[in-house]
Amino acid sequence: MSDCIFCLIANGTIPAGIVWQDERVVAFRDLHPQAPVHVLIIPRAHYSGLDDDVPAEVYAALCAAAPLVARATGVADSGYRLIVNTGPDAGQTVMHLHVHLLGGAAMSEGMVRLA
Ligand code: DGP
């Protein structure tokens, strides 16, 4: 989608701190980090969120990317948390499916809330 900020990041039009990518998935640093390591993992293809008939292979690619992104950002051994905000009550602000990967410090309750 031409007006989707994450599509523009995925296709290189808008710069972002990309930490890992392959043919299906791009991972980049969140603009407003909630943890020492806060990366967004997105599919290159546009889906607005979990309710957008996302093919199973897209979920597989996102999940498979997570440990590789964790390794690339140095949190694979210390641990990390994955979060998918869905809809207004969860505080989803960008309507392009994305997985938050958080790590780099012991989790506190505050790090769970990403609204
Ligand atoms: P969510 O609340 O789950 O929709 O999270 C969206 C996240 O996207 C939020 O933590 C901030 C981040 N974000 C929004 N715009 C940009 C951007 O232009 N660049 C980057 N790197 N992150 C962005």
Side-chain angles (χ1 to χ4, degrees), residues 4-5 20 23 26 31 35 38 44 49 62 67 70 75 82 88 100 103 112:
C4 168
I5 191 88
W20 188 91
E23 68 277 2
V26 180
L31 200 56
H38 186 172
R44 289 188 183 276
L62 291 171
V75 298
L82 304 179
H100 295 258
V112 176

Side-chain angles (χ1 to χ4, degrees), residues 34-35 81-85 90 100 102 107-115:
Q34 305 295 311
R81 176 175 289 164
L82 304 179
I83 295 174
V84 182
N85 292 323
H100 295 258
L102 296 147
M107 296 289 156
S108 66
E109 193 180 336
M111 292 168 69
V112 176
R113 288 196 285 268
L114 293 173

Side-chain angles (χ1 to χ4, degrees), residues 1-96:
M1 280 176 69
S2 60
D3 60 346
C4 168
I5 191 88
F6 285 2
C7 285
L8 295 172
I9 288 173
N11 70 25
T13 302
I14 291 180
I18 293 175
V19 297
W20 188 91
Q21 57 185 316
D22 68 6
E23 68 277 2
R24 287 177 178 268
V25 171
V26 180
F28 54 94
R29 307 266 181 197
D30 193 290
L31 200 56
H32 304 297
Q34 305 295 311
V37 172
H38 186 172
V39 172
L40 301 171
I41 306 173
I42 70 168
R44 289 188 183 276
H46 182 90
Y47 301 95
S48 60
L50 293 177
D51 295 324
D52 195 14
D53 294 325
V54 182
E57 56 265 31
V58 172
Y59 289 130
L62 291 171
C63 288
L68 302 177
V69 172
R71 184 67 59 196
T73 54
V75 298
D77 295 332
S78 50
Y80 53 94
R81 176 175 289 164
L82 304 179
I83 295 174
V84 182
N85 292 323
T86 306
D89 278 358
Q92 183 181 4
T93 58
V94 178
M95 297 303 139
H96 182 125

